[in-house]
Amino acid sequence: MPDTPTRAVRLGALVLALRPTYIAAEVVTAAATTGGYSFVADSVSRLGEVGCSAAYCSPRHEVMNGAFIGYGLALAGGALLMARPLGPWVTALLVVSGLSSYATGLAPLDQDATLHALAATPLFVAQPLALLVLGHRVRRDRPRLSRVLTATGVTTAAAAVGFVLAGDGAAGGALERLALWPVLFGLAAFSWSHRPDMGRPRP
């Protein structure tokens, strides 16, 4: 029988379980853009651009950059709270990912493209590795979840490479989201077994 999750672990699980709501920040920000924005062709970072021109503007850039910062802190904090079930390597990789997201929100693409790239790169490397290591970690106790996490890690890693190679290509935005969004749900699936209602007395 698995150990009853501690209060810290349950709180961390709740934080990670709520992170898929990040997608709403993209949708809300994209809805206000002018000049045309495509989830398939345009990068997420364009939503955080501060400057405006006749060709393109993201009036809600503060929402997007705030999401990078807030959800990055949530990832790092949630990982630290769940350090015991995640293990040291996964925890470290997710903290790096969270700090990378945080730094990305502080360095909008159109303000300093080089700094933005340096801030964002660790996220695309550390998250797939974290999923692969986590999948290996739970392979005996939860083989089905292990397969899901491993498949998600492989998919997001391949998408990250494709995104780098595609650059500003027609499918750049889709590849970037394929590298980022599945991680939200993979970690949420893992955290489900540590959710706040676990350990409560059953009638």
Side-chain angles (χ1 to χ4, degrees):
M1 182 176 180
D3 295 335
T4 301
T6 65
R7 182 177 297 179
V9 169
R10 293 198 299 269
L11 177 58
L14 179 62
V15 171
L16 294 183
L18 291 175
R19 287 189 70 248
T21 58
Y22 154 84
I23 296 174
E26 284 195 27
V27 174
V28 168
T29 307
T33 58
T34 59
Y37 182 86
S38 169
F39 277 81
V40 173
D42 294 321
S43 70
V44 178
S45 298
R46 291 204 70 199
L47 294 174
E49 290 185 359
V50 176
C52 286
S53 67
Y56 176 77
C57 184
S58 179
R60 295 177 183 167
H61 59 267
E62 292 181 350
V63 173
M64 195 69 257
N65 291 323
F68 290 150
I69 293 171
Y71 284 91
L73 291 176
L75 177 57
L80 289 172
L81 289 169
M82 293 193 70
R84 183 177 179 182
L86 287 172
W89 285 104
V90 177
T91 300
L93 287 166
L94 292 181
V95 168
V96 168
S97 300
L99 294 178
S100 173
S101 176
Y102 177 88
T104 300
L106 297 177
L109 178 62
D110 63 329
Q111 300 299 296
D112 191 329
T114 300
L115 182 60
H116 180 85
L118 289 174
T121 296
L123 180 69
F124 290 93
V125 177
Q127 284 195 141
L129 286 176
L131 291 177
L132 292 172
V133 176
L134 184 58
H136 180 75
R137 179 178 172 83
V138 302
R139 71 190 187 283
R140 293 181 180 177
D141 296 333
R142 282 174 282 179
R144 181 178 299 177
L145 177 61
S146 174
R147 290 192 293 271
V148 171
L149 292 170
T150 300
T152 304
V154 171
T155 300
T156 54
V161 172
F163 170 63
V164 172
L165 295 178
D168 295 327
L175 287 170
E176 184 180 20
R177 288 173 173 85
L178 186 58
L180 297 175
W181 287 5
V183 179
L184 301 168
F185 296 98
L187 292 177
F190 173 80
S191 69
W192 179 250
S193 60
H194 303 280
R195 63 193 184 276
D197 62 345
M198 292 294 287
R200 290 180 180 175
R202 293 182 180 274

